[in-house]
Amino acid sequence: MVDLALSSMALAVFSRTQQHPPAATEASSRYQSLLRLAQERVARLSSSLLDERDIDACLLAILVMGRYEGVIYRPGNPDLKHSFSSLPIWSHHKGAMAILRFWYDHSNRTHATALIRDTRRGLIRSSLLRNLRIPDWMLDGTRFGERDLEQDYDRIFVRTVNLQYASASLQQNKRLDITQIERLSHEADELHKALQSWVTKFPNKWSYQRHVLRDFDPRRKTHFYSSVVYSYSSPGYAAVWNQYYALGILINGIHSRMLGLIPLEQVADSNHERRRACIDRLQTMADSLAASIPFCLERFNILDTPTSLPCESPITFNTDKDIKPYLAVLAVWPLSVASIIDGIDFQQQQWFKSQLAHIGKATGEGVLESVKTDGWAMPR
């Protein structure tokens, strides 16, 4: 089943990136066979015969099926009647959640595999994009294999996703509850403080260098938002920092929106200051993310010289080279957050969207390309 899932997606990606229709036909045929096989395998799962290998195989196949739907999606296609929140990809996420719940209920507290952990992470992210509350049984990441720094981040992220759900629900209410707004605002304050505490635990080797591109050419705006870029000693360290920037953008964006709901006649000077602080923090996080993306996509190299400080080392550009998919995927989630959150400078948000769409084109994922044409937006 997993082989069939992987081959279907690989053929679909090949067809899309190489403009090869016969591969798409074969991919579709295999995918239809996979749908039938997956339904049979999932139906055979039972608590009395629980085998973690079966769970992992079903989860992996379903998640790859979701990726397949993302690959074949055609942005701006008038024949497709799906809104973003009703894309076929989400039906596979629902299936993955059902299997994850089955594992949770019947695994007798056995050790969670890496796939169990990563499935939960993906479902939490999709809950944010679709404005869904995270169910109680998924709240504790420890049960799903989260540990150490990742566990600390997970706690903040889960609370933030549910804060987004609560704030969106409140915003839809015709009669705004000021007490409730203040409660959610306090929660956002606590999450911001927790995130700042989390980042202080990073080892020194994870730190970044700030560089200023001399004689910055505006024509390079396609790949660089500004003349400021960050470099890291490893793409993995950059990915961790980008997770931090993305969550900071999300928390402060939600907080700013909540404070903006308070009627003008009830707004005190202190509320203006709080909202201004939120917007400033959001923009700082967005600027840092924009400075990190060129490194993640290998748009430049740092030349080590014995006489230069790291921040003064010469830089060479790689803007004519293709994106490496295994590096690009590390930037997808942070860019997704930055592409939908309110409060970011319009031109900067358009740049984030262009980077995400470019990654989608390079990796063959049409659903990512659609960020510029199909109106992704933070649910509310």
Side-chain angles (χ1 to χ4, degrees), residues 68-85:
Y68 172 88
E69 294 285 0
V71 169
I72 67 171
Y73 182 77
R74 295 294 184 267
N77 186 343
D79 294 331
L80 295 176
K81 306 303 181 182
H82 309 294
S83 65
F84 179 75
S85 61

Side-chain angles (χ1 to χ4, degrees), residues 269-340:
D269 290 341
S270 59
N271 187 73
H272 283 300
E273 294 173 3
R274 290 163 64 197
R275 193 177 187 206
R276 182 70 259 171
C278 286
I279 294 173
D280 289 345
R281 290 194 298 260
L282 186 157
Q283 195 57 57
T284 297
M285 293 286 190
D287 289 343
S288 293
L289 178 60
S292 295
I293 293 301
F295 175 85
C296 297
L297 301 183
E298 290 192 330
R299 296 307 190 187
F300 66 92
N301 286 329
I302 304 297
L303 301 180
D304 294 327
T305 59
T307 59
S308 298
L309 294 173
C311 61
E312 298 176 348
S313 298
I315 289 177
T316 59
F317 296 102
N318 298 325
T319 53
D320 58 337
K321 294 185 178 179
D322 293 335
I323 292 177
K324 295 178 180 176
Y326 73 92
L327 291 176
V329 295
L330 298 176
V332 168
W333 175 247
L335 284 172
S336 297
V337 172
S339 295
I340 63 175

Side-chain angles (χ1 to χ4, degrees), residues 255-269:
H255 195 182
S256 172
R257 194 173 76 240
M258 284 294 92
L259 294 174
L261 292 177
I262 300 177
L264 290 176
E265 62 272 14
Q266 301 183 40
V267 173
D269 290 341

Side-chain angles (χ1 to χ4, degrees), residues 121-188:
R121 290 178 181 177
L123 293 174
I124 291 172
R125 290 174 176 179
S126 72
S127 294
L128 174 69
L129 295 176
R130 293 181 291 153
N131 193 31
L132 299 176
R133 183 182 179 278
I134 300 174
D136 291 346
W137 61 271
M138 280 182 61
L139 293 177
D140 184 8
T142 306
R143 176 72 181 88
F144 297 88
E146 299 291 359
R147 299 290 184 274
D148 305 322
L149 271 177
E150 293 176 335
Q151 182 182 24
D152 295 337
Y153 182 90
D154 179 78
R155 290 192 183 108
I156 302 170
F157 188 34
V158 165
R159 288 172 60 192
T160 302
V161 174
N162 279 347
L163 176 65
Q164 157 58 26
Y165 174 80
S167 66
S169 299
L170 179 63
Q171 195 167 357
Q172 292 170 1
N173 194 331
K174 293 182 180 180
R175 297 183 61 185
L176 292 177
D177 185 337
I178 303 301
T179 302
Q180 181 73 344
I181 292 176
E182 288 294 344
R183 186 186 69 79
L184 296 180
S185 176
H186 177 74
E187 173 75 357

